[in-house]
């Protein structure tokens, strides 16, 4: 099915009519926070824009940890999907919808605000699944789906640091509005972990650079650099402490209020080393499966497009094996744009050595 130019133009005009923050989310970014383009969308979708969207979805589809986990969770549990009505929230190119159809779903409804959905319709047709899958372009909170209730919700909603630019609030809306009382959610559990890392070289490159810029003190920009978490891959050998969980979400019971959370936690050093930053990642569980499926985005596992999120500390903590760093993390959606995050991390090195004692508070913005 060739995407109808008029329908695409209507979809784009709807995007343009939204508040700036929502345009930024749906138009400039996908729901993983990966930047698409800073250029405003033209009135008619050119091939170049579809090419840009293609490269983004290509990266996600080639993320084997992500895509194979969903495939195994859905296709290997046909007894759960057979003759069921399935809702795919944020369907993108339709890969999860097609997994569900392949698993024997009675019908699958995919919903996405992005204009990539017009290509998804073509993909569904060339795979012979147009009678099993209905794809709707629009906001989940505003559209009506052709079934009063659904048996299963599937969604790949996670963003960087799990919650940045995530679609969790939309999934929870769909759960409360459409999911049958005993319906299933794939995945249904998410956990954020934090650990301390040695990252001196990169911290000097990213943060220390501002101390001397061609002989000038640029320390005002150092504070800005410290407040910006870094999304990057961290080698497992850089991890100095045992990890600890700071947030666990059960998608059957959690609410949007849980997206703002505070958690005290301790990090115990595995060896004598330095801690320059904290690294965060998340694990995802499909507990409804006959054989539970889990994947991790941590430094100890295979690469995922989510990578890890690094929070640089003001101090360098000099730790000895077995010592404890007392920490707390406070996260809340930004007041102006709920998909951005305001994060506060407090830390205190608990040591009898006064020369190594350190404590501080760092404020971060993911935007």
């Amino acid at each position: 099915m060739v995407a109808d130019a008029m329908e695409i133009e209507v979809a784009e005009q709807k995007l343009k009519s939204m508040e700036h923050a929502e345009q930024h989310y749906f138009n400039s970014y996908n729901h993983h926070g990966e930047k698409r383009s800073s250029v405003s969308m033209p009135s008619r979708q050119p091939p170049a824009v579809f090419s840009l969207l293609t490269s983004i979805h290509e990266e996600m589809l080639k993320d084997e940890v992500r895509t194979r986990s969903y495939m195994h969770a859905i296709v290997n549990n046909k007894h759960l999907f057979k003759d069921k009505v399935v809702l795919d929230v944020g369907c993108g190119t339709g890969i999860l919808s097609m997994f569900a159809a392949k698993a024997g779903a009675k019908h699958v409804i995919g919903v996405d605000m992005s204009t990539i959905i017009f290509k998804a319709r073509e993909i569904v047709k060339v795979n012979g699944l147009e009678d099993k899958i209905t794809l709707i372009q629009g906001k989940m909170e505003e559209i009506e789906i052709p079934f009063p209730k659904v048996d299963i919700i599937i969604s790949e909603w996670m963003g960087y640091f799990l919650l940045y630019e995530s679609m969790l609030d939309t999934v929870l809306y769909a759960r409360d509005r459409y999911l049958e009382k005993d319906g299933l959610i794939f995945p249904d559990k998410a956990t954020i972990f934090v650990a301390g890392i040695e990252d001196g070289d990169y911290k000097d490159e990213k943060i220390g650079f501002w101390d001397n810029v061609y002989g000038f003190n640029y320390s005002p920009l150092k504070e800005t650099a410290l407040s910006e978490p870094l999304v990057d891959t961290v080698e497992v050998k850089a991890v100095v402490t045992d990890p600890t969980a700071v947030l666990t979400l059960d998608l059957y019971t959690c609410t949007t209020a849980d997206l703002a959370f505070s958690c005290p936690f301790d990090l115990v050093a595995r060896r004598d080393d330095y801690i320059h930053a904290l690294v965060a990642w998340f694990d995802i569980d499909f507990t409804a499966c006959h054989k539970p499926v889990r994947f991790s985005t941590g430094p100890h596992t295979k690469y995922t497009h989510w990578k890890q999120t690094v929070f640089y500390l003001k101090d360098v903590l000099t730790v000895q094996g077995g010592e404890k760093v007392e920490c707390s993390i406070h996260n809340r959606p930004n007041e102006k744009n709920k998909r951005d995050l305001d994060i506060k991390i407090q830390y205190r090195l608990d040591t009898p050595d006064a020369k190594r004692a350190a404590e501080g508070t760092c404020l971060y913005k993911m935007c």
Side-chain angles (χ1 to χ4, degrees):
M1 180 192 302
V2 178
D4 183 79
M6 184 62 70
E7 191 175 4
I8 296 173
E9 184 170 347
V10 170
E12 289 170 355
Q13 291 301 323
K14 188 184 297 184
L15 281 169
K16 290 179 179 179
S17 69
M18 293 179 177
E19 293 182 6
H20 175 74
E22 288 198 315
Q23 286 189 48
H24 168 81
Y25 173 64
F26 289 115
N27 212 20
S28 300
Y29 287 79
N30 69 14
H31 66 268
H32 306 294
E34 295 162 318
K35 193 163 187 180
R36 289 178 175 169
S37 173
S38 59
V39 181
S40 59
M41 299 284 274
S43 61
R44 198 173 293 267
Q45 189 89 27
V49 174
F50 272 134
S51 297
L52 197 57
L53 294 176
T54 299
S55 66
I56 292 165
H57 287 279
E58 178 183 2
E59 180 182 9
M60 290 190 288
L61 291 169
K62 285 182 175 178
D63 182 340
E64 290 195 5
V65 172
R66 161 204 182 264
T67 308
R68 288 189 180 277
S69 294
Y70 275 88
M71 181 180 71
H72 292 322
I74 296 170
V75 177
N76 291 348
N77 288 277
K78 294 180 179 179
H79 64 292
L80 298 177
F81 282 82
K82 183 174 172 55
D83 298 327
K84 295 296 194 297
V85 176
V86 179
L87 174 61
D88 181 358
V89 179
C91 63
T93 57
I95 186 71
L96 305 188
S97 294
M98 291 190 290
F99 285 155
K102 185 178 179 180
K106 175 184 177 181
H107 203 85
V108 184
I109 308 101
V111 180
D112 203 299
M113 190 67 193
S114 166
T115 48
I116 192 64
I117 201 168
F118 298 107
K119 285 296 180 184
R121 289 175 182 169
E122 297 179 38
I123 293 167
V124 165
K125 182 174 183 179
V126 299
N127 282 279
L129 294 170
E130 59 194 311
D131 61 331
K132 288 282 188 180
I133 299 174
T134 299
L135 299 180
I136 302 172
Q137 194 277 333
K139 286 185 69 175
M140 188 76 242
E141 295 84 351
E142 296 177 357
I143 57 96
E144 290 289 332
I145 67 172
F147 292 88
K149 292 290 182 179
V150 301
D151 302 297
I152 300 174
I153 290 176
I154 56 178
S155 181
E156 200 268 74
W157 55 267
M158 299 79 73
Y160 297 135
F161 187 60
L162 185 66
L163 300 177
Y164 172 60
E165 291 279 7
S166 84
M167 289 179 57
L168 181 55
D169 56 341
T170 301
V171 173
L172 298 184
Y173 169 85
R175 177 199 68 187
D176 296 340
R177 171 70 174 81
Y178 290 111
L179 189 63
E180 291 280 9
K181 182 179 178 181
D182 297 319
L184 301 177
I185 304 175
F186 281 65
D188 61 314
K189 182 181 176 184
T191 306
I192 297 178
F193 292 90
V194 174
I197 60 170
E198 188 284 317
D199 199 25
D201 290 344
Y202 199 87
K203 184 178 181 181
D204 284 343
E205 179 183 331
K206 177 180 170 62
I207 309 297
F209 166 78
W210 300 108
D211 289 332
N212 186 338
V213 181
Y214 298 98
F216 296 101
N217 184 345
Y218 267 60
S219 57
L221 285 181
K222 185 175 182 178
E223 294 181 12
T224 302
L226 275 168
S227 71
E228 297 174 343
L230 177 70
V231 175
D232 203 352
T233 53
V234 173
E235 294 186 7
V236 68
K237 66 181 182 182
V239 178
V240 176
T241 74
D242 291 329
T244 187
V246 298
L247 177 70
T248 298
L249 294 174
D250 179 342
L251 267 68
Y252 291 109
T253 59
C254 71
T255 68
T256 54
D258 295 318
L259 306 188
F261 69 92
S262 296
C263 178
F265 61 97
D266 293 335
L267 296 175
V268 179
R270 293 173 171 173
R271 60 180 184 263
D272 293 1
D273 211 328
Y274 303 98
I275 296 176
H276 298 93
L278 302 188
V279 62
W281 67 90
F282 58 87
D283 288 5
I284 295 297
D285 291 276
F286 301 79
T287 68
C289 301
H290 178 67
K291 182 179 179 181
V293 174
R294 161 182 278 200
F295 71 85
S296 178
T297 64
H300 57 289
T301 59
K302 288 181 64 177
Y303 171 88
T304 73
H305 73 281
W306 289 286
K307 304 175 185 176
Q308 292 90 45
T309 305
V310 178
F311 301 90
Y312 286 103
L313 305 179
K314 294 177 181 177
D315 300 300
V316 177
L317 307 183
T318 304
V319 297
Q320 294 181 347
E323 286 188 330
K324 182 171 62 178
V325 182
E326 299 172 351
C327 304
S328 65
I329 185 168
H330 310 268
N331 174 85
R332 62 182 175 84
N334 181 267
E335 292 182 359
K336 293 183 179 179
N337 183 358
K338 65 181 180 178
R339 298 189 189 275
D340 292 347
L341 301 177
D342 295 330
I343 301 166
K344 179 170 74 171
I345 292 177
Q346 296 170 299
Y347 57 90
R348 176 176 176 269
L349 175 56
D350 183 19
T351 173
D353 184 350
K355 294 179 181 179
R356 294 189 292 110
E359 62 181 304
T361 299
C362 295
L363 302 177
Y364 307 92
K365 290 187 177 295
M366 294 192 74
C367 57

